[in-house]
Amino acid sequence: MVAIMTGMHPVPPPTRRPLRQLLAASVGNAVEWYDWYAYTFLATYIAGQIFPKSADSSLVPLLSTFAVFAVGFFMRPVGGLLMGAVADRRGRRSALTVTILLMGGSSLLVGLTPTYAAAGLLAPVVLVLARLLQGLSVGGEFAASTTFLVESAGPGRRGLFSSFQYVSTTLGQLLASGVAALLVNTLAEDRMDSWGWRVPFVLGAVLSLAGFWIRRGAEETRSAEQARAPRPGLFEALRRHPRESLLIGGITAGGTLAYYTWTSYLPTYAELTAGVAKSDALLAGTVSLAFFALLQPVGGLLSDRFGRRPPLLFFGLGSALLSVPLLHALRDSFAVLLLVQCAGMLLLTGFTSISAAVNAEIFPPRVRAAGIGFPYSLTVALFGGTAPYVGTLFEELGRPGIFPWYVAVLCLVSSLVYLRLPETAHRELAR
């Protein structure tokens, strides 16, 4: 097909199958995050079989801590760099097929991990390896799928396509929660301990094959000109575009902290600070996540109409002003918790619905995936992944009220970055 000419740079026309492109990115991304969150929801069952308290070796508790808290988030920046490089060198579709096969394989490895009673120290070693691969896959998934989604969008639809990054992430989280809850409420405790916890991971491997099949039929979004160009070096994005790399970090810092606060840590925070019952906290979290998923396309469409900066500032300044009163308003009440969490999700949508588009519009196509993947995943590891631990630390120090201020200040810092961002919504995407 003849390329459309914009100035002196050939720009390929929008894909003829936008829905197939959207499905390829979204289904695969949902499967990736289903596998990632399944481990979180079933960690207590896994620990009992792989890291028993009665283990003789002193390495077992060390490996337990490493596996649960460090491995996944440590590997995400590495995955963002490596898989981003694959996307820039070999094509977006190639990287997406690699990440979903990697996640499927690592999920199956978790499901087949031997117990400590059967294999001794080998059991935690196998599980740590599986989590290493999962972290690598998730970090690479964001880099590749972000680029693929935005480059697949037609004119004036990049924000809308971008929003499906978090629609699919949230659906994966809800699916993992639902499967785990179904098994826990269906199987007897001894069956859940012995083999029930393995079922979601084997299911995840099967779902990964379905996602792989869908992605194989997607169209490549990297231009023919880029495919013929010399391959970029592994660290070329960081070396040649340090400002853009720092910009990704500044854009993401407040957003990732707010994301993990409102979507993951809030039920625990509500239990610790307001005495909310665990069942109420989990139900409110589930309902608000569904609400959050529905908001994403709305935020993406609004950004296509009015630009990227307004929703980013709505999130950043709104969170800076309202995080403290919202989190301090929590009471031992399901209704109050649900309203607070939904309000936080509404603010958060200003960031999540368009972060993929904003990131993709910053970097040139030659290093777009790797340029996004490494600084984004590193910022998530530093600020998002640590949110529950920072909040719990303040609680242990007897200063739980500091955590809302931590969220507010970091969102204010990101708002200063948003104020200086050039408006890119209505510009042609460089290809």
Side-chain angles (χ1 to χ4, degrees), residues 32 41 110 170 215 235 310 328 376 409:
E32 289 266 346
F41 292 129
V110 173
T170 305
R215 286 184 166 182
F235 296 99
H328 283 169
Y376 174 86
V409 168

Side-chain angles (χ1 to χ4, degrees), residues 269-286:
Y269 182 82
E271 291 173 45
L272 292 174
T273 62
V276 177
K278 187 171 185 177
S279 58
D280 285 347
L282 292 175
L283 178 58
T286 302

Side-chain angles (χ1 to χ4, degrees), residues 252-266:
T252 306
T256 189
L257 175 59
Y259 175 77
Y260 279 92
T261 297
W262 293 113
T263 65
S264 300
Y265 180 57
L266 191 66

Side-chain angles (χ1 to χ4, degrees), residues 249-251 253-254 316-317 320 407-419:
I251 291 167
L317 296 177
V407 177
V409 168
L410 203 58
C411 288
L412 180 60
V413 171
S414 284
S415 296
L416 298 178
V417 177
Y418 304 152
L419 282 169

